[in-house]
Amino acid sequence: MRKVLTSLLLGSIGLLAGCQDKQPGISKHELQNRLTQLESRVLDSLIFIEGGTFIMGDFGAVGEDGVWRPYFPPTIEEDRPHEVTLSSYSMSQHKTTWGDFDTYLLANDLPFIVQAFTKSWERTPFDQEPESRFFVEKPATVTWQDAKDYCQWLGAQTDLPLDLPTSAQWEFAGRNRGSKDWIFSTHDGKDPHLYYQQTQPRQGGEFVPIGSRLPPNPLGLYDMADNGKEWVNDWFSETWYRENPKVTDPQGPDEGTQKIVRNLDFSFSRIGVPESIPSTFNDEWTLIITNTFRCALQSSSPP
């Protein structure tokens, strides 16, 4: 398999040749190395997750009085608990980094830009400055479509069914296979802010190199509870949970106006985010929404 993958990835060098004048600091040999390394990381970072059945959404708790109550009542209608059965799948151990995303852009002759408003600005790829937002080891923050395109490109290059994870897959993995002990998607199911207060009091908000802040959860997944909110594949719907009380391998609604972002609060927390929103700074500007992401292998067999 690795020989096939290497051939496919190095076959992209023909595309890269047209990029050399734009990126004089990246030699053809270095590009070959980057592609080969990306191939290895894709395969080595996929964590196989055995499927199962769990209660997705605000699974709540039963009090001493015997009454069940949701953890977060304001969103109980859109996060209504329901039974979900998932087939086995695999998920990337880490969020996608700027270094890997820049390799994708270079391989496809796509621009290196900062997307914030209607206008965009050029940026330096493969940024080696640790303090920079675009440092190669920090998670890439991109639009939902960019995230989708990246995962599917990787799938095409490796001949593997890679895509964004579904919302159910993300929650199942973030909660250690759907455990009700995992109220937060951390390594131990506890609020990540407790960890920041004890050890790194001022590091709860900014982006850091992947896997450098909290330990992995029992499945081996890093940064599920911090280091940026994550795009998933599903359209957002406030009624999806209550209209589908028992589902297998849910993909979410067939259409919508917002995509689901898995939040950094409770492990079941999700929000709907549009691709862009009007800017409050200028009537002629549109704010482009970006978030982090990771890819998933949509196959019930281990990679």
Side-chain angles (χ1 to χ4, degrees):
M1 174 64 78
R2 286 187 177 273
K3 291 183 178 179
V4 174
L5 296 177
T6 301
S7 299
L8 287 167
L9 286 166
L10 296 184
S12 299
I13 297 302
L15 290 173
L16 297 172
C19 303
Q20 297 308 298
D21 293 338
K22 298 179 184 179
Q23 306 298 335
I26 304 295
S27 67
K28 183 176 180 180
H29 177 70
E30 185 176 353
L31 288 170
Q32 289 177 323
N33 287 338
R34 289 183 187 277
L35 288 168
T36 302
Q37 291 167 9
L38 177 57
E39 168 205 332
S40 296
R41 282 194 296 276
V42 169
L43 295 176
D44 294 342
S45 73
L46 288 172
I47 302 294
F48 181 69
I49 301 171
E50 185 178 353
T53 299
F54 74 115
I55 300 300
M56 184 177 175
D58 190 345
F59 49 91
V62 177
E64 294 181 357
D65 57 3
V67 178
W68 178 90
R69 294 179 178 86
Y71 281 113
F72 198 59
T75 62
I76 187 57
E77 284 306 308
E78 59 191 64
D79 290 338
R80 182 175 291 279
H82 62 291
E83 184 178 288
V84 168
T85 299
L86 289 178
S87 303
S88 299
Y89 61 102
S90 300
M91 184 178 285
S92 177
Q93 184 177 35
H94 294 287
K95 299 176 190 286
T96 302
T97 63
W98 279 116
D100 287 348
F101 191 75
D102 283 350
T103 297
Y104 154 73
L105 293 176
L106 194 59
N108 290 278
D109 199 17
L110 296 171
F112 300 95
I113 58 175
V114 179
Q115 291 179 290
F117 295 100
T118 303
K119 295 182 179 180
S120 60
W121 298 266
E122 292 186 2
R123 64 174 176 84
T124 302
F126 305 109
D127 195 330
Q128 300 296 317
E129 176 52 56
E131 298 302 317
S132 171
R133 169 189 168 190
F134 305 103
F135 179 47
V136 289
E137 295 180 12
K138 289 183 179 179
T141 51
V142 301
T143 66
W144 179 88
Q145 190 62 60
D146 285 341
K148 175 86 168 177
D149 291 346
Y150 172 88
C151 291
Q152 292 191 328
W153 171 77
L154 275 180
Q157 298 304 309
T158 59
D159 197 28
L160 294 172
L162 289 167
D163 204 340
L164 289 172
T166 66
S167 185
Q169 288 174 334
W170 193 98
E171 183 171 326
F172 188 69
R175 284 176 43 200
N176 188 24
R177 298 191 69 252
S179 170
K180 289 185 177 182
D181 293 330
W182 256 254
I183 300 176
F184 298 91
S185 300
T186 52
H187 57 292
D188 57 5
K190 298 179 181 178
D191 188 342
H193 294 90
L194 298 176
Y195 181 82
Y196 303 147
Q197 291 168 6
Q198 294 172 3
T199 60
Q200 305 173 54
R202 283 194 284 256
Q203 289 194 4
E206 74 264 17
F207 293 106
V208 297
I210 58 171
S212 66
R213 184 180 283 152
L214 295 176
N217 74 0
L219 297 176
L221 301 169
Y222 287 86
D223 297 340
M224 295 291 282
D226 74 338
N227 220 7
K229 300 175 183 178
E230 296 191 30
W231 291 116
V232 293
N233 209 36
D234 311 38
W235 290 106
F236 176 79
S237 168
E238 293 184 355
T239 62
W240 172 254
Y241 278 11
R242 61 177 179 263
E243 292 173 351
N244 296 274
K246 191 173 183 179
V247 285
T248 299
D249 293 328
Q251 304 295 310
D254 292 333
E255 57 185 7
T257 59
Q258 299 178 333
K259 286 295 182 178
I260 291 180
V261 169
R262 295 311 310 228
N263 213 337
L264 305 182
D265 298 321
F266 295 111
S267 63
F268 52 79
S269 179
R270 65 184 190 127
I271 56 175
V273 175
E275 187 175 343
S276 62
I277 58 176
S279 169
T280 58
F281 298 102
N282 188 318
D283 292 340
E284 297 180 357
W285 287 7
T286 298
L287 180 62
I288 306 300
I289 305 300
T290 60
N291 286 294
T292 68
F293 72 101
R294 71 185 74 214
C295 301
L297 179 64
Q298 302 297 343
S299 170
S300 59
S301 300

